[in-house]
Amino acid sequence: MLRLILALALLACPLTTAVAATPCREALALGLDVSGSVDDDEYRLQLEGLARALDNAQVREALAALPGAPVRMMVYEWSGPGDQRVLAPWAELSSEAAIAAFQARLRGTARSSMEPTTAIGPALTFGARALAQQEGCWRQVLDVSGDGKHNVGPVPRGIDMGAVTVNGLVIARPDNIAELSAYYRAHVLRGTEAFVETAYGFRDFEEAMVRKLLKELAILPLAQAGDSSARGPLPQRGERLR
């Protein structure tokens, strides 16, 4: 019995080493705002919008751009200072089956009771800790989606994000989107390549997420490909995505 256990352990070692040594092009964590300003319909629009964004042909192409260095993705939701929950744990989106399983996790999620407050600072801390678990990735990026300003807990600008790039997806009415976007630029974004994408309400979330994912996933593949002219331009606001 002991010999059998030792043999199984030796067989397991190469597999563990191979997985740990797999190059990772980008570790991308997405944090979704589920505070009190987000009703149940808007909650579903976020999850379904993200799931559908992963079906977009350009997003699929971007994910598959470097097969030897896949993208790792995870999704969590956040509201109050102590309210963060992983919806889809880290996964390498390197195949149709992996993407389908990731989408199923999102679509199968039921809303949980959380504080109604908006704690962006603690949401950043949670995302940074999740990204710190992903070794061997060329880039670490955190996506923070939200429809309001931070109002409780440690302030966003005081959170040390290290080398993590933080992008924002602002969800707001047309008359408030400029103000909230400016707030995100001043207090939430990190890194020289950071940017804010905008959604005019939650029904625009899917198209805004597609635009944001394409920007985030295009940086390294285009640099590695050498000739970026072979790829079409990124879609702009108002352009049909399908």
Side-chain angles (χ1 to χ4, degrees), residues 71-121:
V71 173
R72 298 176 191 167
M73 186 179 292
M74 68 89 73
V75 181
Y76 68 98
E77 61 185 12
W78 59 272
S79 60
D83 291 314
Q84 301 91 28
R85 179 174 68 136
V86 174
L87 305 183
W90 286 110
E92 289 187 353
L93 302 187
S94 55
S95 67
E96 290 188 7
I99 295 173
F102 200 83
Q103 292 170 307
R105 289 293 297 260
L106 296 173
R107 288 175 168 141
T109 297
R111 189 168 191 176
S112 179
S113 177
M114 291 188 174
E115 287 187 26
T117 52
T118 303
I120 299 178

Side-chain angles (χ1 to χ4, degrees), residues 147-168:
D147 71 343
K149 299 177 182 179
H150 172 88
N151 57 28
V152 64
V155 297
R157 186 48 65 184
I159 306 301
D160 181 7
M161 297 298 294
V164 172
T165 296
V166 181
N167 299 324

Side-chain angles (χ1 to χ4, degrees), residues 146-229:
D147 71 343
K149 299 177 182 179
H150 172 88
N151 57 28
V152 64
V155 297
R157 186 48 65 184
I159 306 301
D160 181 7
M161 297 298 294
V164 172
T165 296
V166 181
N167 299 324
L169 198 168
V170 166
I171 311 161
R173 303 183 310 273
D175 62 344
N176 188 47
I177 207 158
E179 179 184 352
L180 190 54
S181 296
Y183 176 85
Y184 263 64
R185 291 190 185 95
H187 299 279
V188 180
L189 267 58
R190 308 292 172 84
T192 57
E193 298 169 346
F195 64 91
V196 172
E197 186 54 73
T198 56
Y200 293 139
F202 285 87
R203 295 194 179 280
D204 189 35
F205 185 86
E206 177 188 343
E207 293 200 2
M209 178 58 72
V210 168
R211 289 192 298 271
K212 188 154 70 69
L213 288 174
L214 290 176
K215 292 175 186 176
E216 289 164 337
L217 298 174
I219 294 171
L220 278 171
L222 293 182
Q224 294 287 326
D227 179 12
S228 62
S229 62

